[in-house]
Amino acid sequence: MDAKSQPPKTFGSRSKEIWDETKKGVAYHQNEVKESNRPFWINGHGIVKLLGLICLIASIKIFATTTAHPILTLILYMELFIAVFFLILYICAINRYLSFIIWPISVLMGLAAFFAFVDMCLQRRSFPGQEEKPKKPKAPKKAKEAKKGTA
């Protein structure tokens, strides 16, 4: 076969000419983000993540209106921020280019959550509704001496 009779090479849905035109600059990155986001939304992953965010926000609203323990609200806020963080990574297509950084960041977030949990355990006495039991007052010294003297 001749080189002329071969069909042009395609890269995804783009032909080689379009690929070469958009290889540089902001337009290149905009096209990359657009094309990498398409499967994320079409396959349903983005929709499921959005539904998860909606459920998290609704549960935070419900726990804010009831008398729930503050730890539950804290855990929900942490989960919300983690979910938003990963959603932004997927929307910006950063996971495609920096896949080596996703796991270290999640490990660091886990480490931050561990330190928050330790901090919460150390400060649990100061949480509302967690009052310490009153200590028994000591008997006055004079009463003890008076009892010793009379005996």
Side-chain angles (χ1 to χ4, degrees):
M1 289 181 109
D2 270 353
K4 293 181 180 180
S5 64
Q6 291 180 352
K9 289 186 176 181
T10 58
F11 298 92
S13 61
R14 298 180 283 183
S15 67
K16 185 168 179 5
E17 293 80 27
I18 296 173
W19 176 265
D20 289 337
E21 289 174 8
T22 62
K23 219 172 192 181
K24 297 178 182 175
V26 176
Y28 169 74
H29 293 291
Q30 286 175 343
N31 285 335
E32 285 295 315
V33 168
K34 184 190 268 185
E35 288 204 12
S36 65
N37 277 336
R38 191 173 296 134
F40 176 69
W41 292 105
I42 290 175
N43 292 338
H45 300 293
I47 295 168
V48 170
K49 289 198 183 293
L50 278 180
L51 289 174
L53 285 176
I54 291 169
C55 289
L56 279 171
I57 292 169
S59 61
I60 288 172
K61 294 279 187 187
I62 290 170
F63 278 115
T65 58
T66 61
T67 56
H69 202 277
I71 295 174
L72 296 173
T73 310
L74 176 71
I75 291 171
L76 286 173
Y77 274 113
M78 287 173 52
E79 181 69 27
L80 178 70
F81 286 119
I82 290 170
V84 167
F85 173 76
F86 281 110
L87 184 69
I88 290 171
L89 280 180
Y90 285 120
I91 288 175
C92 295
I94 295 173
N95 63 325
R96 183 174 177 185
Y97 299 110
L98 302 174
S99 60
F100 62 92
I101 204 166
I102 290 177
W103 287 112
I105 286 176
S106 64
V107 169
L108 291 175
M109 291 177 88
L111 192 63
F114 172 74
F115 283 125
F117 181 72
V118 169
D119 184 47
M120 179 184 59
C121 289
L122 292 174
Q123 294 184 10
R124 107 181 122 201
R125 291 184 186 157
S126 64
F127 287 144
Q130 298 273 336
E131 298 177 9
E132 290 186 27
K133 295 179 182 176
K135 296 180 180 177
K136 293 182 180 180
K138 293 183 179 180
K141 291 182 180 179
K142 293 181 182 178
K144 287 183 181 178
E145 290 175 6
K147 287 182 183 179
K148 286 182 184 177
T150 59

